[in-house]
Amino acid sequence: MAPHHTDPDLSAFTNAAAPALAARALSRRRLLKFGGVALAATAAAPALAACGAGSSAQSGTSGAASSSTDTLTVATATAGTVFDPEQPSGIFQYTMLYDSLFDTSTPPDSGELAALLADYEPEAALATAWESNKDNSVWTITLNTDAMSPAGNSLTSADVMWSFERHLAMKWYGGIFLNRVGVTDISQIEAPSDDTIVMNLAGPIGRTYFLQLMGCFIVPIFDATEAQANATDDDPWAQDYIASNACGFGPYQLQSVAADGTLNVFEANPNYYGEVAIPTVTFRTTTETSTQLQLLLRGEAQVIDALSPVQIDEVESSDSAKVVTVANTGYTFLGFNNEEELYQDVALHQGIAYALPFDDIVNSVFRGQATSMKSVLPSFFQGFTDEYWVYDQDLDKATEMLAPYAGQGLKLQYKGGSTLLQSLAVLIQSSLSDVGLDVELVSVDPTTFAGELTEATLLMWLDNQSTPLVPDSLYGLQLLFPSDPTQVLIHYSNDVVDEAVGALATSFDPDEQVELIRTAQKQIMADLPILPLAETGGLIPVASNIDGVKGHGANIPWGRGYSYSA
């Protein structure tokens, strides 16, 4: 989830040796309000954080899906008719239509993912080879000229140049990520041949960070020939055309779109350079998780949105469906507004931490489908350490630390409609009551909650959406914790964190990176501007005969890369 951004400051890239540059991380770009998987109630653009699916689209219609292995139905809470990755109302289903330079999908197993990240190389996609200079500031990328769009246009460097220029001009996700790797102007990109581009970054950068961001699905490559043929003087970036047409090199093209966006059908790109195992994929909007569950169990849907822990148990006991556990960046935390006087005190944050029964949170609320989280980075991230966790339950210490806040009218907010979050809120309220702190629970309707999260005006709240989209420690730290974060949410500021994250942004030495990551964690875990509650990863409910489930950095239903068991 990416609520509120500011304009980018690339000063950290201009001279890696200047001490002053370490004082700031790469900063933010101001985004519009958005939703569904991101923030608006009726659209589902992906977010800079890994989000859960939205919950306020209209219920779907349509009858049962075919049981043929030529088709797959995704039951999702989101709906929409805009498929432009660069428009705020763009629906996440655009990932069916586009590929990026690299395939950065990850294996489901956390051990395999940790090993991959330790010596990271993505899979080839629209790029077949890539190399950099010593400090990773200049990248030469060889393109896959076998890639062809549904319109019959072959990929060339002109497509990448136009796509990057569009990303920068539209100032949306793709532009933000280009800014983050040190590209602010298209003049930094060269195209010496049809199958080669050279990216001249503003300074040194970590290799994994660059590859992860440039391979992320929010930096897609457009079919520039098709797009430019449908551009106009008033619409030079072909927004009207791209909104409702496939204009990429991805595995699918649009076959049909319901007027209200609740039943969208994708057909395989006949020119796709890779394998497409399932020719037809339908996204059907069904907001109620109980309805989704029944569709899955009856075989009328093969992939659905995330369920409650109780519903997950029901899937796991079924013969027709299964839950695939995916190692991703998902976790649940208690957020504090660190510019609000009542909620900014470190003593409050620490006192609450000492009061909470973290084992009960994992075992009772999440029914064992999560693990304890003892840092602000997921456990498989580079430089993760739990040595700064000192908050095992201590009721006497909690009572002492929280006494000054008794009777102050503290509120705990959470998004309504989530049984899991409600159960978690009740447990926290009860635990704090036991140490003399009365907290009012406030269930906020999803649309209002999304708006307040966007405006960064929540006070103290439960959050399982505002977590990193990219499994990289620099990205994870930049997201919330510098004075100029990617995501303006908690209003936290600390000079030690700013210096460490700023230096990390220009470091390409792995040992130095680990020390900087540890330094940032130590300070953040002392201040607890957020309190991590549980590392949840991803639980993907699918039909029992579905294979090919991988991680992709977001807790949302994925419609591509799947196949049926032989």
Side-chain angles (χ1 to χ4, degrees), residues 422-453:
Q422 182 180 36
S423 299
L424 182 55
V426 170
L427 185 148
I428 292 173
Q429 181 190 48
S430 175
S431 299
L432 294 178
S433 178
D434 288 344
V435 294
L437 184 65
D438 292 330
V439 173
E440 178 187 354
L441 299 187
V442 181
S443 174
V444 184
D445 75 86
T447 301
T448 302
F449 187 91
E452 293 187 11
L453 192 63

Side-chain angles (χ1 to χ4, degrees), residues 48-272:
L48 299 178
C51 302
S55 60
S56 54
Q58 297 300 312
S59 295
T61 52
S62 180
S66 168
S67 60
S68 168
T69 56
D70 289 338
T71 65
L72 180 141
T73 296
V74 180
T76 175
T78 59
T81 60
V82 175
F83 299 91
D84 184 350
E86 300 290 354
Q87 295 190 39
S89 57
I91 189 171
F92 180 78
Q93 294 166 23
Y94 78 75
T95 55
M96 305 291 289
L97 310 173
Y98 296 94
D99 278 0
S100 299
L101 290 174
F102 317 118
D103 177 0
T104 55
S105 59
T106 56
D109 179 75
S110 59
E112 293 178 14
L113 177 54
L116 174 67
L117 294 174
D119 188 21
Y120 184 71
E121 289 294 331
E123 296 293 326
L126 294 182
T128 57
W130 44 93
E131 60 182 4
S132 65
N133 63 350
K134 184 177 180 180
D135 66 3
N136 305 320
S137 63
V138 179
W139 288 80
T140 301
I141 298 172
T142 303
L143 302 176
N144 181 0
T145 54
D146 290 334
M148 184 177 290
S149 72
N153 300 314
S154 295
L155 175 72
T156 72
S157 56
D159 296 296
V160 180
M161 293 288 289
W162 188 86
S163 298
F164 283 2
E165 189 172 11
R166 187 180 198 265
H167 290 321
L168 292 169
M170 299 283 285
K171 301 181 180 181
W172 197 240
Y173 294 129
I176 292 169
F177 272 31
L178 283 166
N179 289 171
R180 284 224 171 267
V181 301
V183 175
T184 58
D185 191 272
I186 195 61
S187 64
Q188 296 173 251
I189 315 296
E190 303 170 22
S193 66
D194 283 348
D195 68 348
T196 306
I197 64 164
V198 178
M199 300 180 66
N200 300 284
L201 311 185
I205 193 170
R207 180 179 180 85
T208 298
Y209 184 74
F210 174 85
L211 293 170
Q212 283 277 352
L213 266 64
M214 289 298 94
C216 185
F217 57 81
I218 65 174
V219 191
I221 304 302
F222 296 94
D223 174 0
T225 301
E226 183 73 6
Q228 289 175 309
N230 291 278
T232 67
D233 290 342
D234 294 332
D235 185 13
W237 300 113
Q239 294 181 65
D240 290 343
Y241 178 78
I242 293 176
S244 56
N245 292 274
C247 198
F249 297 92
Y252 289 89
Q253 60 184 327
L254 283 169
Q255 183 200 57
S256 63
V257 178
D260 61 357
T262 60
L263 192 67
N264 300 330
V265 181
F266 298 82
E267 290 288 345
N269 172 4
N271 305 317
Y272 192 55

Side-chain angles (χ1 to χ4, degrees), residues 29 38 55 111 114 199 203 232 264 291 308 356 373 517:
R29 175 173 300 280
S55 60
M199 300 180 66
T232 67
N264 300 330
T291 303
S308 71
L356 296 186
M373 187 170 185
I517 293 165

Side-chain angles (χ1 to χ4, degrees), residues 207-552:
R207 180 179 180 85
T208 298
Y209 184 74
F210 174 85
L211 293 170
Q212 283 277 352
L213 266 64
M214 289 298 94
C216 185
F217 57 81
I218 65 174
V219 191
I221 304 302
F222 296 94
D223 174 0
T225 301
E226 183 73 6
Q228 289 175 309
N230 291 278
T232 67
D233 290 342
D234 294 332
D235 185 13
W237 300 113
Q239 294 181 65
D240 290 343
Y241 178 78
I242 293 176
S244 56
N245 292 274
C247 198
F249 297 92
Y252 289 89
Q253 60 184 327
L254 283 169
Q255 183 200 57
S256 63
V257 178
D260 61 357
T262 60
L263 192 67
N264 300 330
V265 181
F266 298 82
E267 290 288 345
N269 172 4
N271 305 317
Y272 192 55
Y273 61 92
E275 179 184 0
V276 181
I278 302 176
T280 303
V281 178
T282 298
F283 281 78
R284 169 183 175 181
T285 302
T286 308
T287 59
E288 295 295 330
T289 57
S290 58
T291 303
Q292 288 188 18
L293 175 61
Q294 293 308 310
L295 290 172
L296 178 66
L297 297 180
R298 293 199 303 262
E300 296 174 29
Q302 288 73 47
V303 185
I304 62 176
D305 285 347
L307 302 175
S308 71
V310 172
Q311 291 170 322
I312 289 291
D313 286 344
E314 190 170 348
V315 173
E316 290 183 325
S317 65
S318 164
D319 293 331
S320 61
K322 63 185 178 182
V323 176
V324 179
T325 302
V326 176
N328 66 17
T329 60
Y331 62 90
T332 300
F333 65 85
L334 180 64
F336 301 99
N337 189 324
N338 290 270
E339 71 174 9
E340 289 289 332
E341 184 174 357
L342 187 58
Y343 296 91
Q344 66 184 206
D345 291 352
V346 172
L348 173 67
H349 307 166
Q350 293 180 344
I352 291 175
Y354 284 120
L356 296 186
F358 291 98
D359 288 343
D360 288 349
I361 289 173
V362 168
N363 296 321
S364 298
V365 177
F366 287 95
R367 298 175 67 87
Q369 296 163 12
T371 57
S372 295
M373 187 170 185
K374 298 183 178 182
S375 179
V376 292
L377 294 176
S379 57
F380 55 85
F381 274 35
Q382 178 194 27
F384 162 85
T385 179
D386 61 3
E387 70 177 279
Y388 306 122
W389 178 266
V390 295
Y391 303 107
D392 293 335
Q393 192 176 36
D394 185 330
L395 298 184
D396 290 338
K397 183 177 290 188
T399 300
E400 179 182 354
M401 296 183 74
L402 295 175
Y405 305 97
Q408 296 296 310
L410 289 169
K411 301 178 186 297
L412 174 58
Q413 301 155 301
Y414 63 95
K415 184 171 69 174
S418 169
T419 302
L420 185 147
L421 292 180
Q422 182 180 36
S423 299
L424 182 55
V426 170
L427 185 148
I428 292 173
Q429 181 190 48
S430 175
S431 299
L432 294 178
S433 178
D434 288 344
V435 294
L437 184 65
D438 292 330
V439 173
E440 178 187 354
L441 299 187
V442 181
S443 174
V444 184
D445 75 86
T447 301
T448 302
F449 187 91
E452 293 187 11
L453 192 63
T454 301
E455 296 299 327
T457 56
L458 292 171
L459 301 172
M460 181 170 69
W461 70 98
L462 293 174
D463 198 326
N464 58 359
Q465 300 176 117
S466 306
T467 56
L469 178 64
V470 174
D472 179 87
S473 292
L474 171 57
Y475 187 91
L477 291 170
Q478 285 176 334
L479 188 65
L480 294 176
F481 303 109
S483 299
D484 287 313
T486 302
Q487 183 170 317
V488 181
L489 184 64
I490 61 175
H491 301 288
Y492 173 68
S493 179
N494 181 278
D495 290 344
V496 172
V497 175
D498 285 352
E499 182 175 353
V501 177
L504 184 61
T506 58
S507 172
F508 57 93
D509 177 76
D511 292 337
E512 179 185 45
Q513 290 169 356
V514 168
E515 286 307 308
L516 291 168
I517 293 165
R518 289 171 61 87
T519 297
Q521 285 177 95
K522 182 178 181 179
Q523 186 64 54
I524 295 167
M525 292 308 297
D527 294 343
L528 287 184
I530 70 169
L531 174 57
L533 299 175
E535 186 172 340
T536 54
L539 300 175
I540 316 299
V542 298
S544 57
N545 60 344
I546 290 293
D547 293 332
V549 178
K550 294 183 178 181
H552 51 76

